[in-house]
Amino acid sequence: MSDVLMIPVLPCVSMAETLAFYRALGFEVTHEQTKPNVYAATRRGDIHLHFMGMKKLDPRQAYTTCLALVPEVERLHEAFAEGLRRAYGKVPVAGLPRISRMKKGQSRFTVVDVAGNSVIFIRKDAPDDYDEGAAGSRSDADPGPHDSHLGKALRAAARLRDFKNDDAAAAKVLDVALARETPAAPLERAHALAARLELAVALGEAERASALRAAIDEAPLSGEERAQLQPALDAVDALERSQR
């Protein structure tokens, strides 16, 4: 059965806009027709995506999703982000279309096209331990103990951000956790603040981002702890640059 090829057929409202989006990602349009039905086929290497016209589709209410298992994801994400930057003037991380953010070591990312279709690109050898609801799963944004309230919040926010592609819900989870008076190690709290800062930048919350940066600057961290936090802040800086 190794020669079997399954190709998803995704709905779209405007075929022209959909094909322009996928061309920006480096896909080749291998077939396009308007009669008897609106239909098109695209390909990028071994990834095949086909599209059919659906005039009454509301992209904001779309839920169509497909998975693409690929050899690696970091360079692919970089290529997609650069193509989108050229096409849209910046890397779209919110609204439609958009691409989810990528951290070093992350095993997947999501592209949501102009019709609201989600295509999740997953590294073929990705471990199963970082999955929705998987016990003990870890992420770069979740360095602290999992039994602490901030550790649990960071993990939940990471799932909402990386799997559900829901930055607003992830932000709410962190806001609730950060507002609690439960004691937390300064570094763990700083990581939670940095995760919330990234979400504030993605959501366009300028005042909130400024306040979060100030809180991080004032955190009682040692030089070594600030060095551990720096990669998270570098990711925020890179996100800000991508939006200019």
Side-chain angles (χ1 to χ4, degrees):
M1 298 292 289
S2 60
D3 59 344
V4 173
L5 176 64
M6 296 184 67
I7 301 175
V9 180
L10 307 176
C12 69
V13 180
S14 169
M15 187 62 75
E17 291 181 8
T18 295
L19 295 182
F21 175 80
Y22 282 94
R23 283 190 176 103
L25 298 182
F27 281 76
E28 172 192 6
V29 178
T30 58
H31 174 75
E32 183 177 2
Q33 69 180 44
T34 57
K35 295 179 180 180
N37 302 303
V38 177
Y39 195 91
T42 68
R43 176 178 181 176
R44 191 184 197 279
D46 293 331
I47 304 171
H48 297 256
L49 293 174
H50 289 196
F51 301 93
M52 61 179 180
M54 187 176 292
K55 292 182 179 179
K56 294 183 179 181
L57 175 69
D58 181 355
R60 296 167 299 177
Q61 301 296 323
Y63 55 85
T64 306
T65 303
C66 68
L67 309 179
L69 300 181
V70 295
E72 64 82 36
V73 291
E74 292 187 28
R75 290 192 301 275
L76 184 62
H77 184 277
E78 290 177 2
F80 283 2
E82 182 56 33
L84 293 174
R85 186 198 305 277
R86 289 195 299 267
Y88 295 93
K90 66 177 183 179
V91 180
V93 296
L96 292 175
R98 63 183 181 271
I99 183 171
S100 63
R101 299 178 299 287
M102 188 79 189
K103 293 183 175 64
K104 187 173 180 59
Q106 193 169 309
S107 63
R108 66 187 65 196
F109 68 91
T110 301
V111 168
V112 183
D113 67 21
V114 293
N117 301 304
S118 295
V119 184
I120 305 174
F121 295 87
I122 305 174
R123 197 178 68 233
K124 286 182 178 179
D125 63 350
D128 294 330
D129 60 347
Y130 182 41
D131 200 349
E132 295 173 297
S137 62
R138 298 296 298 267
S139 75
D140 291 341
D142 182 6
H146 283 278
D147 56 356
S148 72
H149 80 279
L150 279 180
K152 291 177 180 177
L154 277 163
R155 183 183 174 201
R159 288 200 304 268
L160 288 166
R161 182 196 64 212
D162 300 337
F163 289 90
K164 297 294 188 180
N165 201 18
D166 193 339
D167 288 342
K172 289 180 181 179
V173 167
L174 291 176
D175 284 340
V176 171
L178 287 166
R180 291 179 60 180
E181 297 182 357
T182 306
L187 180 57
E188 185 180 33
R189 183 171 180 82
H191 271 287
L193 290 168
R196 182 61 179 88
L197 172 59
E198 180 191 8
L199 291 165
V201 171
L203 293 167
E205 301 170 338
E207 291 186 8
R208 179 70 166 136
S210 179
L212 288 162
R213 282 193 181 276
I216 293 170
D217 290 342
E218 295 169 2
L221 302 175
S222 67
E224 181 179 352
E225 288 173 328
R226 289 204 176 273
Q228 293 179 47
L229 182 65
Q230 193 57 49
L233 298 179
D234 289 343
V236 175
D237 292 340
L239 176 61
E240 287 185 321
R241 289 194 297 271
S242 76
Q243 302 305 291
R244 296 170 187 163

